[in-house]
Amino acid sequence: MAEQATAQIGVTGLAVMGRNLARNLARNGFTVAVHNRSPERTRSLIAEHGDEGTFVPGETMADFVASLERPRAVIVMVKAGAPTDAVIDELVRLLEEGDIIVDCGNAHFADTRRREEALRGAGLHFVGTGVSGGEEGALLGPSIMPGGSTESYAKLGPMFEKISAHVDGVPCCRHIGPDGAGHFVKMVHNGIEYADMQLIAEAYDLLRAGLDADPAEIAEIFRGWNGGELESFLIEITADVLAHHDAATGRPFVDVVLDRAEQKGTGRWTVQSALDLGVPITGIAEATFARSLSGHVDQREATRRAFPDAGEKWQVADREAFVEDVRRALLASKIVAYAQGFDHVRAGSQEYDWDIDLGGTATIWRGGCIIRARFLDRIREAYDEQPELSTLLVAPYFAEAVGAGVPSWRRVVADAARAGVPTPAFSSSLAYFDALRAERLPAALIQGLRDNFGAHTYQRVDREGSFHTTWAADRTESPA
């Protein structure tokens, strides 16, 4: 048992992410209590990395808690769901009023809200915290999105801000808002990530089909793009993946990877939440469904046999012009994905009374996280200048970028459709853009149909109120 309470923060759950987060804290000068259900992992951490800082190992949960300074702060890094609840239940029996439990896993924000309310009633602070950056980010500096009370951030903030990534001297960490706000923002971050990755994959597919180029050639195109407006972590590593060759076969790595994209659930949660809030995140939804479709192997094989040649032969006359068209279409579609994501954050903030700073959110996504990109600075500027901005698409920088890309966007989507190359995220993003800019939508007909079969009423363009037409009788109109 620890002789005295000396640790400033504790980490329980020492798989890769928990271990790296503990090491990051220790490397930055904090005394870190460490614990794992299997003590061997705790001993392994101390043996391999004990010289990186000051660790206080705890063989039991009671020892671990006893080694923490008051108010105690415990980071939980275990599997989401029931395992997290089990660890929380164990901790609650050992903690005292004012202590803090921090869940840094990928929890559903609704679970975080439930846990925060329950622990608040017990006099404890519960802090759902989004952490993005993967294993490397956890060790070297992630983007950190803590929710919870302002009192808990007073203790956690200085530590989290110090260990986070920094861009221009600014930490990629800030207090997001009460209860589930941190995990909500991390969820939407992951939804944008789904869309971003799908758009990049579609751009690769378009270049390969249109240019008949090999992955290494396309890697160089992506490297060139990463020097401009598209500069981002995902574009950078796309070039790395496409340039890599499989050691066993000598073939391009991307050609030996099974074409079934997996997911851990955060994209699905994002889409479900957006449906509940009535936010049209069409690009993110299409990206999520594209992953699902990739796994329906039997349907794909049956359809391929039934329609072996349903597209036209793609002939690109001007290679440089085509590459530029794909670049512009990718940029415009990515802007739509981020615009939809920030719309979603705003809607969640309003629904749950979180008062999330959208510009501040863009600030902490500039480094450490998976969707870090050059234009996040532009997003921050847009919301700082107009906090009530209706959509990022109309902010000057983004309006100019999208406007300049529209002709390319249309050519790419049309050519892909004729050639039978699927572009669900490119196409849905363009349709979303066109729907927003349309003077009138066919939704008027939908309302008419709803009134016809279900007396759901409709509103008129020329006077106030709701109305119903007696379709089955004399078709007279009356106020509803």
Side-chain angles (χ1 to χ4, degrees):
M1 177 170 293
E3 295 181 3
Q4 57 182 341
T6 59
Q8 294 159 284
I9 192 165
V11 179
T12 180
L14 299 177
V16 177
M17 285 293 289
R19 168 181 288 226
N20 282 0
L21 205 57
R23 291 173 61 197
N24 189 353
L25 285 159
R27 286 176 167 191
N28 277 281
F30 300 107
T31 300
V32 186
V34 288
H35 167 267
N36 195 79
R37 188 170 296 277
S38 302
E40 292 77 12
R41 274 196 175 165
T42 309
R43 299 184 195 118
S44 170
L45 170 61
I46 301 301
E48 295 173 23
H49 305 289
D51 60 348
E52 295 182 348
T54 305
F55 296 98
V56 182
E59 288 282 311
T60 68
M61 188 69 86
D63 291 346
F64 169 70
V65 169
S67 70
L68 293 163
E69 296 176 349
R70 296 288 310 275
R72 304 178 184 94
V74 179
I75 294 175
V76 177
M77 291 295 288
V78 301
K79 189 176 180 181
T84 297
D85 281 323
V87 172
I88 291 170
D89 289 344
E90 188 175 2
L91 283 168
V92 166
R93 292 192 290 269
L94 298 168
L95 296 177
E96 299 175 271
E97 185 174 348
D99 290 345
I100 306 164
I101 299 176
V102 187
D103 179 8
C104 285
N106 265 338
H108 194 291
F109 78 94
D111 288 337
T112 300
R113 299 190 77 212
R114 167 180 59 79
R115 291 164 179 153
E116 193 278 336
E117 182 179 14
L119 268 65
R120 185 174 1 113
L124 300 173
H125 297 280
F126 185 75
V127 181
T129 300
V131 178
S132 179
E135 298 173 16
E136 184 175 324
L139 180 62
L140 303 179
S143 173
I144 307 179
M145 297 153 258
S149 64
T150 54
E151 294 89 343
S152 63
Y153 195 76
K155 179 175 177 72
L156 298 171
M159 290 187 280
F160 283 173
E161 289 176 15
K162 188 170 184 180
I163 70 167
S164 72
H166 286 66
V167 177
D168 299 328
V170 178
C172 294
C173 172
R174 65 182 291 132
H175 184 223
I176 301 297
D179 56 76
H183 274 147
F184 184 91
V185 165
K186 174 57 164 55
M187 176 191 75
V188 176
H189 165 284
N190 285 23
I192 296 172
E193 179 185 312
Y194 273 51
D196 209 343
M197 293 173 71
Q198 177 66 26
L199 289 166
I200 288 171
E202 290 178 18
Y204 152 74
D205 205 23
L206 288 164
L207 292 170
R208 195 158 191 185
L211 301 177
D212 193 26
D214 63 36
E217 292 178 78
I218 300 171
E220 291 308 308
I221 293 172
F222 274 91
R223 284 205 176 95
W225 287 352
N226 200 47
E229 295 170 297
L230 284 170
E231 181 188 339
S232 68
F233 172 68
L234 285 172
I235 294 288
E236 176 188 341
I237 65 171
T238 296
D240 290 342
V241 171
L242 291 176
H244 182 57
H245 281 74
D246 175 52
T249 64
R251 296 173 60 194
F253 171 76
V254 74
D255 287 346
V256 302
V257 176
L258 197 63
D259 60 339
R260 300 178 203 169
E262 299 179 358
Q263 53 184 306
K264 292 186 175 179
T266 48
R268 181 174 66 252
W269 293 346
T270 307
V271 176
Q272 290 169 338
S273 167
L275 288 170
D276 291 339
L277 294 169
V279 184
I281 56 167
T282 53
I284 295 170
E286 285 293 350
T288 306
F289 287 127
R291 292 197 188 190
S292 298
L293 187 150
S294 73
H296 286 258
V297 178
D298 292 344
Q299 289 182 332
R300 291 173 59 195
E301 290 180 352
T303 307
R304 186 166 58 252
R305 288 195 299 269
F307 304 96
D309 189 19
E312 301 174 5
K313 182 175 175 56
W314 200 335
Q315 295 180 316
V316 171
D318 187 330
R319 290 172 68 89
E320 287 188 11
F322 175 69
V323 170
E324 178 62 9
D325 274 351
V326 175
R327 186 194 72 82
R328 287 174 179 259
L330 176 57
L331 177 60
S333 298
K334 281 166 68 81
I335 291 170
V336 166
Y338 281 75
Q340 291 179 352
F342 276 89
D343 288 348
H344 193 179
V345 173
R346 186 200 300 277
S349 179
Q350 292 172 343
E351 175 70 17
Y352 303 111
D353 196 25
W354 286 330
D355 194 27
I356 296 174
D357 182 335
L358 299 182
T361 299
T363 299
I364 66 171
W365 285 351
R366 295 183 305 156
C369 71
I370 304 303
I371 65 169
R372 57 187 185 266
R374 173 185 288 191
F375 67 40
L376 278 159
D377 272 323
R378 300 286 192 171
I379 295 176
R380 179 197 59 185
E381 292 167 5
Y383 282 116
D384 284 350
E385 290 172 9
Q386 299 182 65
E388 300 306 316
L389 185 67
S390 60
T391 170
L392 272 175
L393 295 177
V394 301
Y397 170 81
F398 297 105
E400 181 178 347
V402 170
V406 168
S408 295
W409 210 358
R410 297 197 190 287
R411 281 192 293 269
V412 165
V413 169
D415 289 348
R418 280 191 289 268
V421 176
T423 56
F426 271 63
S427 302
S428 67
S429 298
L430 178 58
Y432 173 84
F433 166 76
D434 281 331
L436 283 185
R437 56 175 290 278
E439 185 175 353
R440 274 184 66 78
L441 294 171
L445 176 58
I446 294 172
Q447 279 303 101
L449 295 173
R450 294 180 73 244
D451 189 61
N452 184 301
F453 69 68
H456 292 297
T457 75
Y458 53 88
Q459 294 175 313
R460 298 176 58 96
V461 299
D462 54 0
R463 58 182 183 270
E464 296 293 324
S466 297
F467 301 88
H468 169 61
T469 293
T470 54
W471 298 98
D474 59 2
R475 302 200 174 190
T476 58
E477 181 183 79
S478 60

